[in-house]
């Protein structure tokens, strides 16, 4: 008999290389039950996709990270923790500030930021690709987009890092993370108050000025709602892109032939970013709460069950992607679930793709070849984010 399957988002050993366990979950326990931590988990692409498209059945209102989930709705203004129709109203309003025009206008600035951080490394023998570049780029871009003052941007980046701090044990929210979240929220609230008095050409100003018409008339976002959204955007936008670029550096070091193709032909970069997102999802686990009983694959999941959607496993599902464990920048596929789907599809996906594509392009222009010092590199570990905290490039 095969060994009993065991999976937890807190298991640091499995976190490093979860692929075999994910495959066993998909094949042997597509609805997996962890009694100790009281959750179910869905691992097949079709099931994760279907759950993502039913936001009222698989609710986000109780929390989307296992350790913060509550038996009752959180009652927060964070859009990520709100279900339709309230979520739809907020999303419509903030989308007016997060426009394609505003995103595309950032391309020149993104390239300039890449040059500022990468050019000093030319001629050296190596550098920490994540800490010296990948973690800083999205933080600086999103801070510029939102309107964080330049003098404050590095402090905000460090606070964001602290929000993902995790203590030993089963992932309870800790003092370091909570204190950092409070500081970011206070900073943004003060900045939004300032924008109401002195508007600027930035997203915070657009948010406080935007209006929406509903059945109750016309309204604007409260400062609390604006602060919650900008807090979410700064944090999620920084962490996800940092891990995406870190994975790019690691995976391409292991696939030098494909890296050479990308260095020679930048038109391949868009497809390469999608393949990286599928192959190594930066955020591989999303939590939901069932609002009704559901039977799936012969397993009964009662209402008020905590359900983890393993998007990282879905990206490796052979039922959706032939030869799924193979990295291939020429792969043709119609979709992946790394940015979610449906109502809670990542609002910043277009910005993440832009930053990932330009960041990798500018890296390859300067450093078409590198290796990774695995012994010095450090992996980050949280229940919902997966990637590198430090990735040491060796050049020359």
């Amino acid at each position: 008999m095969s060994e009993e399957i065991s999976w937890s988002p807190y298991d640091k050993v499995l976190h490093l290389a979860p692929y075999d366990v994910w495959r066993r979950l998909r094949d042997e326990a597509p609805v997996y039950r962890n009694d100790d931590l009281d959750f179910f988990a869905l691992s097949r692409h079709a099931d994760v996709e279907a759950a993502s498209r039913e936001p009222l059945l698989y609710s986000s209102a109780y929390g989307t990270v296992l350790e913060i989930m509550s038996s009752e709705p959180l009652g927060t203004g964070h859009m990520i923790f709100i279900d339709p129709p309230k979520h739809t109203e907020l999303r419509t309003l903030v989308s007016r500030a997060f426009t394609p025009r505003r995103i595309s206008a950032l391309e020149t600035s993104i390239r300039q930021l890449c040059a500022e951080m990468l050019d000093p490394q030319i001629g050296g023998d190596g550098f920490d690709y994540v800490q010296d570049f990948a973690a800083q780029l999205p933080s600086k871009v999103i801070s510029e987009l939102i309107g964080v003052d330049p003098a404050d941007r590095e402090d905000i980046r460090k606070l964001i890092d602290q929000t993902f701090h995790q203590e030993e044990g089963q992932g309870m929210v800790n003092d370091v993370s909570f204190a950092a979240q409070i500081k970011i929220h206070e900073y943004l609230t003060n900045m939004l108050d300032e924008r109401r008095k002195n508007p600027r050409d930035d997203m915070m100003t657009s948010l406080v000025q935007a209006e929406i018409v509903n059945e109750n008339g016309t309204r604007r976002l409260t400062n609390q709602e604006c602060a919650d959204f900008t807090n979410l955007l700064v944090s999620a936008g920084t962490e996800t892109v940092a891990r995406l670029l870190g994975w790019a550096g690691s995976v391409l070091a292991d696939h030098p032939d494909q890296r050479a193709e990308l260095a020679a032909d930048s038109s391949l970069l868009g497809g390469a970013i999608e393949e990286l997102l599928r192959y190594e999802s930066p955020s591989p686990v999303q939590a939901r709460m069932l609002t009704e009983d559901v039977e799936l694959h012969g397993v009964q999941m009662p209402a008020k069950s905590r359900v983890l959607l393993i998007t990282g496993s879905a990206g490796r599902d052979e039922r959706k992607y032939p030869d799924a464990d193979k990295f291939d920048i020429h792969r043709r596929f119609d979709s992946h679930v790394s940015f979610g789907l449906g109502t809670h599809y990542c609002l910043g996906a277009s910005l993440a793709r832009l930053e990932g594509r330009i960041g990798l392009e500018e890296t390859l222009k300067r450093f078409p070849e590198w290796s990774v010092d695995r012994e010095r590199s450090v992996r980050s570990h949280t229940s919902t984010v997966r990637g590198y905290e430090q990735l040491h490039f060796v050049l020359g």
Side-chain angles (χ1 to χ4, degrees):
M1 294 181 63
S2 62
E3 183 181 351
E4 183 178 357
I5 307 172
S6 177
W7 177 79
S8 160
Y10 304 128
D11 189 321
K12 290 189 176 182
V13 176
L14 290 181
H15 196 259
L16 292 175
Y19 317 107
D20 290 341
V21 172
W22 284 350
R23 183 183 301 106
R24 288 194 64 196
L25 290 177
R26 294 192 300 268
D27 293 345
E28 303 171 37
V31 179
Y32 170 73
R33 173 65 184 172
N34 186 310
D35 289 326
D36 292 337
L37 296 176
D38 187 26
F39 69 79
F40 292 91
L42 307 184
S43 51
R44 291 183 181 177
H45 183 280
D47 296 332
V48 171
E49 179 180 38
S52 300
R53 295 189 184 280
E54 295 193 74
L56 298 181
L57 179 58
Y58 292 86
S59 172
S60 298
Y62 300 78
T64 61
V65 179
L66 184 60
E67 55 264 29
I68 71 168
M69 293 190 79
S70 169
S71 59
E72 298 299 329
L74 296 179
T76 174
H78 280 288
M79 193 167 63
I80 196 173
F81 301 139
I82 299 174
D83 294 329
K86 176 71 171 178
H87 177 276
T88 305
E89 177 182 303
L90 287 176
R91 190 180 182 95
T92 299
L93 190 53
V94 299
S95 293
R96 297 176 184 177
F98 204 76
T99 61
R101 179 194 63 79
R102 182 166 264 143
I103 300 304
S104 61
L106 290 169
E107 178 159 352
T108 298
S109 175
I110 294 173
R111 292 192 186 278
Q112 290 174 345
L113 288 170
C114 289
E116 290 174 9
M117 289 180 281
L118 293 174
D119 283 351
Q121 308 299 341
I122 296 174
D125 57 5
F127 63 104
D128 184 340
Y129 186 63
V130 171
Q131 289 301 313
D132 295 337
F133 175 64
Q136 294 195 44
L137 177 65
S139 175
K140 291 179 178 181
V141 171
I142 203 72
S143 293
E144 178 181 338
L145 176 68
I146 290 172
V148 176
D149 289 339
D152 300 330
R153 290 175 186 175
E154 183 60 15
D155 289 339
I156 292 297
R157 186 184 77 83
K158 291 177 179 177
L159 285 173
I160 292 167
D161 284 344
Q162 292 174 23
T163 67
F164 288 92
H165 176 82
Q166 190 168 1
E167 304 286 357
E168 292 295 327
Q170 296 294 358
M172 297 301 292
V173 175
N174 57 79
D175 292 342
V176 173
S177 175
F178 187 69
Q181 293 175 44
I182 294 296
K183 288 181 180 179
I184 293 175
H185 197 277
E186 289 176 348
Y187 173 84
L188 293 172
T189 299
N190 291 334
M191 291 298 99
L192 288 161
D193 282 335
E194 174 63 22
R195 293 306 187 277
R196 292 186 190 278
K197 301 171 186 174
N198 300 297
R200 301 183 190 176
D201 183 18
D202 58 28
M203 183 181 287
M204 280 196 281
T205 299
S206 296
L207 285 171
V208 299
Q209 292 180 344
E211 294 183 345
I212 189 170
V213 179
N214 57 27
E215 64 276 9
N216 298 317
T218 301
R219 82 174 189 93
R220 291 184 175 182
L221 289 175
T222 65
N223 256 23
Q224 177 73 32
E225 289 171 327
C226 289
D228 285 342
F229 174 70
T230 50
N231 195 349
L232 169 66
L233 194 59
V234 168
S235 301
T238 296
E239 189 69 12
T240 303
V241 176
R243 303 310 156 214
L244 168 61
L245 285 170
W247 279 121
S250 176
V251 172
L252 292 177
D254 292 335
H255 298 82
D257 292 345
Q258 296 189 64
R259 181 179 60 192
E261 287 189 73
L262 294 174
D265 185 358
S266 62
S267 70
L268 299 173
L269 285 166
I273 292 298
E274 300 307 310
E275 175 69 346
L276 283 162
L277 287 164
R278 177 202 71 83
Y279 187 73
E280 293 288 12
S281 176
S283 181
V285 181
Q286 318 299 322
R288 299 290 188 267
M289 181 76 80
L290 271 182
T291 57
E292 301 176 13
D293 294 351
V294 170
E295 182 176 343
L296 185 62
H297 300 297
V299 177
Q300 187 73 25
M301 295 187 290
K304 287 298 185 79
S305 292
R306 303 193 298 178
V307 181
L308 301 188
L309 310 181
I310 313 178
T311 50
S313 172
R316 295 291 189 110
D317 191 351
E318 303 85 350
R319 297 160 188 79
K320 173 70 174 179
Y321 309 106
D323 207 3
D325 285 332
K326 178 183 178 181
F327 177 74
D328 181 5
I329 61 172
H330 300 288
R331 183 185 296 274
R332 294 288 180 262
F333 56 97
D334 56 1
S335 66
H336 56 72
V337 292
S338 294
F339 285 131
L341 288 171
T343 298
H344 286 282
Y345 180 76
C346 176
L347 192 62
S350 60
L351 178 58
R353 287 183 166 108
L354 182 68
E355 290 175 303
R357 177 177 59 80
I358 294 175
L360 186 53
E361 180 181 356
E362 295 298 323
T363 298
L364 289 165
K365 281 181 182 178
R366 294 161 176 81
F367 313 108
E369 296 181 1
W370 65 82
S371 60
V372 171
D373 185 340
R374 300 289 177 183
E375 291 187 1
R376 295 178 61 205
S377 297
V378 178
R379 290 280 291 276
S380 60
H381 174 75
T382 77
S383 68
T384 186
V385 174
R386 185 169 175 269
Y388 283 88
E389 186 174 328
Q390 299 176 31
L391 188 73
H392 289 273
F393 274 16
V394 179
L395 305 174

